[in-house]
Structure formats: structure tokens, C-alpha cells
């Protein structure tokens, strides 16, 4: 009964997300039929349509559980499936230099963004939230770090609003860098994987460019995500509090399940247990799930909410994103040629 009740609770939001995703897929198909090229991918269209709906008319409470499930749960499932298209040879070919470089950028970005925030007059806790959100994993990093540093609700809301807004803006701006700076697919994948704060945004920014960019961008982003554990551990040690917050609450896992699932699928692909044909089918399923998740992500964003957190927060978050992009260009300049 509990499963049936939970399904009914999720149903309205999932159906709304699916409807937006279906409209985006139809628009992409129409675009191809008319222009014979997909200028804007369905995942980007899904985000844009979702934002328009959420901004035009507030989403009713009954839709929210299903939207949250679609934006998080279905996306995580898609990320696991994406692992089937990557083998350990790709990770090996990426090289230790890439792993070390990405990890170094994460910690440098956190330190630099924190200093920028403090110079702009932000509180220490708000500066940490913005630094971790942009440098590691967006909303998930903010939510994981907030109880560790005992951040007030208003700081959490401000950090969430602007990292989400800038992250979505990056989806539309990053592809322009590829075309105007004549980056290779691999180089663009690294830059996008370092700049975009969340996995779905990396997928949305790299999908219009090519599969190689998607794979490398996802790999780079997941290396960043893996930094969440060490960062939370360091903050936890410094603050002398549990990751889960108050006494009696369960602690948060430092390594999300879908990262383990992603690398598990990579292992299956590398061992030959997942064939090339099967990997292509899984990639198509992942693409559909990602489009649906993008629709839900858009439905979660109201543009008006960005303007209530203050100009200093916007400036700090913007500086952080620009800094990450610059670090990404520096990294690829040292790693040329990339696989």
C-alpha cells in the first residue's frame, strides 16, 4: 500500500515533466524536419520550456514531489546508464594528469571563491556555500555542506538560487566557446565538465557538440563530484559536527549511490559484459531520462527568485563560474592533446 500511495503522490509531477519532455522532443524533431539540423537539443528545450512554465505560473504543491523525483531520481538513473558508454580505457587515456588537475582546480576554486565572497562582504557561511556549490556539485553540495557549517536558511536559499540560475545560463553560453574558440571535442568536454556546476548541466552543454564531449565532460564532472567527500570531511572536522546535522539524524553518504553505479557500469562495459549494441540502447534510454529530468529541473526554477538574494551574491557566484572556466582553459592548455 505504501508503494502505491507513494506512486500516486509522484504521478502528477512525473506526468507534467514527461509532457514537457515530450514537447521538447517534438520541437527538436520539427526543427530537424525544417532545417535538417538540430540547432537546439531537446534537453535544452526541455529546460527552457520548464522555466517558462514555472515563471509564468507557480507550480502547484501536488506536482512538486514528482518533479523532485524526476529531476533527481531519474537523472541519477540516467547517469548510471551513461557509464555503459565509457570504458576504463577512456579513463586510463584521460591520464593521471587530468584527475590531479581537476581535483586541484576544485580546491583552488573553493578557496578563491570563498575569498571573493568575503571581499564582497558576504558572511563566511554564505561564501562557503557558494564556493562549494559552484566548485563541486551545485545544489547537492550546498545541501550537504549547509548542516556541517550550520548555515542559516536564508544563506542556503540565496546560494541555491544563484548557483541554479548561473548553471542554467552556462548551458546556453558554453557551446559558444566551442564554436568560437575552435576547441577540440575533448578540450570542450574538459572545459564544460569543469565550468558547469551540476551533472545535468554538463550533459546539456555537451550534448549539442558531440558524444566525445559528453563522455569526457561527464567524467570530469564526476571527478569533481568525488571531491565532495574530502571537502565535507574537512569541513566536518573543522566544525566538529556530524554531516547529518543534529544528534540522532542519519549522516549523509559521502559518495552518492549513482557514482558507484556509474563506475559499476564502466566496469561492465570494460569487461565486455555490456556489448557495444547494448551500450547504444542504454545510451538512448539515458538520453530520454535526461530530457525528462531536464524538464523537471526547468519546472523547479522561477526566474523571479534569482533577484531576491542580492547583487553581491550574484556577483560572487558569477566570478566563481568565470574563474572555473578560466581554470578549465588553463588545464586543457597543459593537457593537449587529449583523448
Amino acid at each position: 500500500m505504501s508503494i502505491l500511495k507513494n506512486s500516486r503522490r509522484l504521478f502528477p509531477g512525473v506526468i507534467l515533466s514527461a509532457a514537457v519532455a515530450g514537447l521538447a522532443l517534438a520541437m527538436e524533431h520539427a526543427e530537424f524536419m525544417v532545417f535538417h539540423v538540430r540547432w537546439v537539443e531537446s534537453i535544452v528545450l526541455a529546460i527552457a520550456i520548464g522555466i517558462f512554465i514555472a515563471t509564468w505560473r507557480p507550480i502547484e504543491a501536488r506536482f512538486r514531489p514528482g518533479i523532485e523525483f524526476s529531476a533527481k531520481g531519474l537523472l541519477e538513473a540516467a547517469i548510471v546508464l551513461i557509464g555503459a558508454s565509457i570504458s576504463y580505457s577512456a579513463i586510463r587515456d584521460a591520464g593521471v594528469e587530468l584527475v590531479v588537475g581537476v581535483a586541484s582546480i576544485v580546491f583552488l576554486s573553493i578557496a578563491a571563491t570563498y575569498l571573493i565572497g568575503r571581499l564582497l562582504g558576504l558572511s563566511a557561511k554564505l561564501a562557503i556555500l557558494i564556493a562549494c556549490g559552484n566548485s563541486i556539485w551545485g545544489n547537492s553540495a550546498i545541501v550537504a555542506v549547509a548542516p556541517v557549517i550550520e548555515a542559516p536558511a536564508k544563506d542556503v536559499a540565496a546560494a541555491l538560487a544563484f548557483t541554479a540560475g548561473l548553471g542554467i545560463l552556462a548551458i546556453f553560453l558554453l557551446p559558444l566557446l566551442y564554436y568560437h574558440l575552435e576547441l577540440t571535442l575533448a578540450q570542450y568536454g574538459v572545459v564544460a565538465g569543469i565550468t558547469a556546476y551540476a551533472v545535468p548541466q554538463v550533459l546539456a552543454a555537451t550534448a549539442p557538440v558531440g558524444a566525445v564531449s559528453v563522455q569526457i565532460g561527464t567524467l570530469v564532472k564526476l571527478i569533481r563530484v568525488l571531491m565532495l567527500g574530502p571537502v565535507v570531511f574537512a569541513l566536518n572536522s573543522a566544525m566538529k559536527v556530524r554531516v547529518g546535522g543534529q544528534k540522532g539524524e542519519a549522516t549523509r553518504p559521502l559518495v552518492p549511490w549513482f557514482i558507484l553505479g556509474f563506475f559499476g557500469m564502466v566496469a561492465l562495459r570494460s569487461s565486455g559484459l555490456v556489448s557495444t549494441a547494448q551500450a547504444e540502447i542504454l545510451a538512448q534510454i539515458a538520453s530520454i531520462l535526461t530530457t525528462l529530468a531536464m524538464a523537471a529541473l526547468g519546472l523547479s526554477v522561477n526566474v523571479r527568485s534569482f533577484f531576491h538574494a542580492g547583487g553581491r551574491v550574484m556577483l560572487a557566484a558569477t566570478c566563481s563560474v568565470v574563474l572555473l572556466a578560466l581554470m578549465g582553459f588553463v588545464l586543457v592548455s597543459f593537457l593537449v592533446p587529449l583523448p
Side-chain angles (χ1 to χ4, degrees), residues 88-162:
Y88 281 127
S89 60
I91 300 175
R92 182 178 62 251
D93 292 342
V96 176
E97 294 86 355
L98 177 61
V99 176
V100 173
V102 172
S104 300
I105 283 176
V106 167
F107 288 105
L108 286 173
S109 175
I110 290 174
T113 302
Y114 174 78
L115 290 175
I116 290 171
R118 295 296 285 156
L119 289 173
L120 290 173
L122 302 182
S123 68
K125 294 180 179 180
L126 179 54
I128 291 174
L129 291 176
I130 293 174
C132 292
N134 280 347
S135 303
I136 305 174
W137 195 16
N139 294 348
S140 298
I142 292 170
V143 171
V145 168
V148 174
I149 63 174
E150 299 179 339
K154 62 181 180 65
D155 286 354
V156 176
L160 287 172
F162 281 101

Side-chain angles (χ1 to χ4, degrees), residues 249-335:
E249 294 183 358
T251 58
R252 297 177 183 273
L254 298 185
V255 181
W257 74 270
F258 66 86
I259 294 180
L260 299 177
F262 174 88
F263 284 108
M265 291 299 292
V266 172
L268 293 176
R269 179 74 176 93
S270 301
S271 65
L273 294 177
V274 175
S275 66
T276 301
Q278 291 171 332
E280 291 176 354
I281 294 174
L282 293 176
Q284 292 175 358
I285 296 174
S287 177
I288 294 173
L289 291 177
T290 301
T291 301
L292 204 158
M294 293 303 98
L297 177 67
L299 290 168
S300 305
V301 176
N302 185 329
V303 173
R304 297 188 186 94
S305 66
F306 301 155
F307 303 102
H308 296 299
R312 291 179 298 173
V313 180
M314 179 186 294
L315 181 57
T318 302
C319 289
S320 177
V321 172
V322 173
L323 180 63
L324 279 169
L326 292 175
M327 288 181 175
F329 282 114
V330 172
L331 180 61
V332 296
S333 69
F334 283 104
L335 295 178

Side-chain angles (χ1 to χ4, degrees), residues 5 13 22 36 49 92 97 112 142-143 159 172 177 200 203 215 235 246 265 273 277 284 302-303 338:
K5 182 178 179 180
H36 304 291
I49 295 170
R92 182 178 62 251
E97 294 86 355
I142 292 170
V143 171
F172 297 97
L177 298 179
L203 296 178
Q215 294 174 6
L235 291 172
Q246 298 177 354
M265 291 299 292
L273 294 177
Q284 292 175 358
N302 185 329
V303 173
L338 287 169

Side-chain angles (χ1 to χ4, degrees), residues 4 10-11 42 62 77 84 119 126 177 186 192 205 212 221 240 260 272 288 290 292:
L4 180 60
L10 298 178
F11 186 77
S42 60
R62 64 191 179 97
L119 289 173
L126 179 54
L177 298 179
V212 173
K221 178 58 206 170
K240 304 296 183 183
L260 299 177
I288 294 173
T290 301
L292 204 158

